[in-house]
Amino acid sequence: MNPVLETRGITKNFGAVEASRGISLDLRPGEIHALIGPNGAGKSTLIQQIAGKLRPDAGSVHLLGEDVTALGVAERARAGLGRTFQVSALAMEDTVLQNAVLGALGARGGRVPLFRGALHDADLRATAEAALDRVDLLDSADMQTAALSHGQRRQLEVAVALTLKPRAFVMDEPMAGLGAEGSARLTRFLDGLRDEAPILMVEHDMDAVFALADRISVLVYGQLIATGTRDEIRANPDVRAAYLGEDA
Amino acid sequence: MIPERWLNAALTLGLLAVPLWALWADEPFTITLATKVAILALAGVGLNIALGIGGLVSLGHAAFFGVGGYAMGILAHHAQTFQPMIWGLEGTKSMPIIWLTALVSSGLAALAIGALTLRTSGVYFIMITLAFGQMFYYFAISWPAYGGEDGLSIYVRNGFPGLNTLDPIQFFAIAFTALMLALFLHARLKASPFGLALNAARQSPDRVETVGLSPFRLRLLAFVISGAITGLAGALFADLNRFVSPTMFSWQLSGELIVFLLIGGVARLYGPVVGAAVFIFLEHHLGDISEFWQIGLGVLLLLIVLFARGGLIGLVAGEKR
């Protein structure tokens, strides 16, 4: 099966620091692929290069078989890449519905009419409300986003990404800051999402990683030291030494 | 708290009532003051689209005000001296043609300045827009063909079909109508998908990019619309005074436009209207008492920034915007 998303030999240096050292990984249809590694391993730098925020010094990024290395964030989003952030990036002064409508606008291909009321556009509203409904936020549609709990903001981030009907998701620590209950709820939701679009996920919550991931890649000092199934990663001595600790 | 909609309606009626009262009381100077409020408020509405919705703190909006003013000055100067402009083009005393020229030229200036400045943000954006404003200022000073430092006098106010523009109340009607149209445009833009995305780009540019929209393009379009409206105000202001000079490009004027928004309320639809009205009121009444009247303005501004972050409108209608 052809990968939906793929990096080939991505290299990125910041001065003397080698943040990405020839990283090649792929995301296959229907899977959740978790990227783990200790702090400072270069996970966020890699995610930023995949999303288009940072340009790699060498190597390439491919989405649905197309080389998207030269494209910016917005163009990759239009090409089918959905993204959520480590720290929720939402319009906090706006309502929940307005944030979802923003996503629905993007799904239209970037046309932004100047005059018709955004919230009076039936199509935009329907797309936005359907996405909010899926993450159980429809009842909070008229709430100001700043008033949402941390977990609800996480859900809204996913809803905004859903409005775009992406072909692949890139999620940067979706479980960060969630309590046990919130984490379990989001885990269930992402579990069901993988058939719709595969998910590449950076995550520190090992319970979530081992519950969800079909494959796991381990990044240490900018280098991919292993990629494999849960059991393979658990059994890998390099991973045990470098990340999980000898006792794991 | 009074609903903002009601407050806006009351402000509209107030802005209409003052010159009508002045007409009845035979106080033409008050009508001129009200006209000045309407025109400066129009310039503020322009800035409010960039700053209020888009969060673009431009300290160079006087550039567009001046470009609009000089569009009027140059066209009217050539018409009154019967000298053709470049390429044999004639000048004109027709307001609609002058307004169109002001809108297009200041919009193009905003396109050029915006394309270069909107790559920056924060204090860099403030400084680079200030630098562009000053560039225009010094260019106007050193342009002898159109009066240089002395500016240009236009002997007779320009004409509008069917109106006697020399009559203060009729000229007020023109300025008031332009202001209402700009306020309508602002309200529609803010509620539109464009306004939603621009407002979101102010709060979270990363989010806007990840839904496939370009914050730069959104801001550039807002900057052009904003500059064009401020340019139209410049043309009307020049017609009010029948005079254009490099001071229309001064950074003080850019600062005053920001002060209007702070006084009235940034991003509030009628923020610039309230701000311009308070400013002109203080300038007129405190200015009679002392040439240092701006100390009073400073105190007011300080109080508003410290205690009323939503401006005077926020104080009356609540902080939600």
Side-chain angles (χ1 to χ4, degrees), chain B residues 229-306:
Chain B
I229 292 174
T230 302
L232 175 65
L236 286 167
F237 193 74
D239 236 331
L240 176 70
N241 300 323
R242 278 166 283 154
F243 179 64
V244 288
S245 77
T247 55
M248 290 185 79
F249 286 114
S250 71
W251 70 269
Q252 287 94 331
L253 195 127
S254 298
E256 281 167 12
L257 295 180
I258 295 178
V259 166
F260 295 167
L261 300 195
L262 289 174
I263 292 176
V266 175
R268 311 305 284 247
L269 183 60
Y270 271 64
V273 180
V274 170
V278 169
F279 187 90
I280 297 299
F281 181 84
L282 291 181
E283 183 185 48
H284 183 61
H285 289 281
L286 292 184
D288 278 352
I289 301 166
S290 163
E291 62 178 305
F292 302 114
W293 68 273
Q294 282 168 326
I295 293 175
L297 177 71
V299 171
L300 175 71
L301 199 57
L302 207 61
L303 289 173
I304 286 174
V305 170
L306 286 176

Side-chain angles (χ1 to χ4, degrees), chain A residues 64-98:
Chain A
L64 302 167
E66 297 287 324
D67 186 343
V68 294
T69 318
L71 303 185
V73 175
E75 290 160 303
R76 289 187 202 189
R78 288 201 291 273
L81 194 64
R83 186 184 177 196
T84 67
F85 292 85
Q86 189 176 350
V87 177
S88 296
L90 296 162
M92 292 294 174
E93 295 169 16
D94 291 353
T95 63
V96 170
L97 180 64
Q98 281 173 317

Side-chain angles (χ1 to χ4, degrees), chain A:
Chain A
M1 241 185 309
N2 290 331
V4 179
L5 181 66
E6 192 182 5
T7 70
R8 293 181 194 162
I10 278 194
T11 300
K12 181 80 188 171
N13 299 324
F14 296 108
V17 178
E18 293 175 294
S20 306
R21 294 198 270 176
I23 299 171
S24 296
L25 57 80
D26 62 2
L27 180 67
R28 296 167 191 164
E31 79 166 346
I32 293 181
H33 188 155
L35 185 63
I36 63 171
N39 284 329
K43 302 184 296 292
S44 289
T45 303
L46 179 61
I47 290 291
Q48 292 202 5
Q49 292 173 90
I50 292 172
K53 194 75 182 171
L54 280 177
R55 188 72 59 88
D57 297 336
S60 56
V61 180
H62 300 258
L63 180 63
L64 302 167
E66 297 287 324
D67 186 343
V68 294
T69 318
L71 303 185
V73 175
E75 290 160 303
R76 289 187 202 189
R78 288 201 291 273
L81 194 64
R83 186 184 177 196
T84 67
F85 292 85
Q86 189 176 350
V87 177
S88 296
L90 296 162
M92 292 294 174
E93 295 169 16
D94 291 353
T95 63
V96 170
L97 180 64
Q98 281 173 317
N99 271 284
V101 165
L102 180 70
L105 259 180
R108 275 192 182 171
R111 282 179 298 105
V112 281
L114 291 173
F115 295 107
R116 201 156 45 150
L119 299 181
H120 296 114
D121 185 315
D123 284 350
L124 284 179
R125 246 192 120 108
T127 308
E129 286 174 349
L132 289 178
D133 194 25
R134 286 189 62 188
V135 298
D136 296 328
L137 275 180
L138 192 53
D139 291 340
S140 310
D142 294 325
M143 264 173 81
Q144 195 187 18
T145 305
L148 293 182
S149 70
H150 180 74
Q152 287 174 314
R153 288 180 196 177
R154 281 276 181 250
Q155 288 165 261
L156 178 55
E157 283 240 311
V158 175
V160 176
L162 280 174
T163 56
L164 297 164
K165 299 190 174 61
R167 305 292 296 274
F169 283 105
V170 175
M171 298 188 177
D172 199 352
E173 297 195 35
M175 307 295 170
L178 293 182
E181 191 191 332
S183 185
R185 189 190 305 157
L186 192 56
T187 300
R188 278 196 303 277
F189 183 77
L190 296 183
D191 199 17
L193 195 60
R194 75 179 87 201
D195 294 329
E196 203 168 312
I199 302 170
L200 177 66
M201 173 171 89
V202 168
E203 190 49 67
H204 278 299
D205 180 339
M206 286 303 135
D207 289 340
V209 167
F210 283 101
L212 281 172
D214 299 292
R215 285 189 303 153
I216 299 170
S217 287
V218 185
L219 199 62
V220 177
Y221 294 123
Q223 201 162 17
L224 212 55
I225 61 165
T227 295
T229 63
R230 285 170 271 197
D231 294 339
E232 284 167 355
I233 291 298
R234 270 202 193 99
N236 188 310
D238 292 340
V239 175
R240 295 169 77 96
Y243 185 70
L244 296 173
E246 287 301 331
D247 299 337

Side-chain angles (χ1 to χ4, degrees), chain B residues 78 84 99 115-116 118 140 149 156-157 159 180 212 222 226 232 236 244 283 300 304 307:
Chain B
H78 283 280
W99 295 345
L116 293 169
L118 288 167
E149 206 165 355
V156 181
R157 190 170 283 156
M180 288 300 124
S226 167
L232 175 65
L236 286 167
V244 288
E283 183 185 48
L300 175 71
I304 286 174
F307 302 112

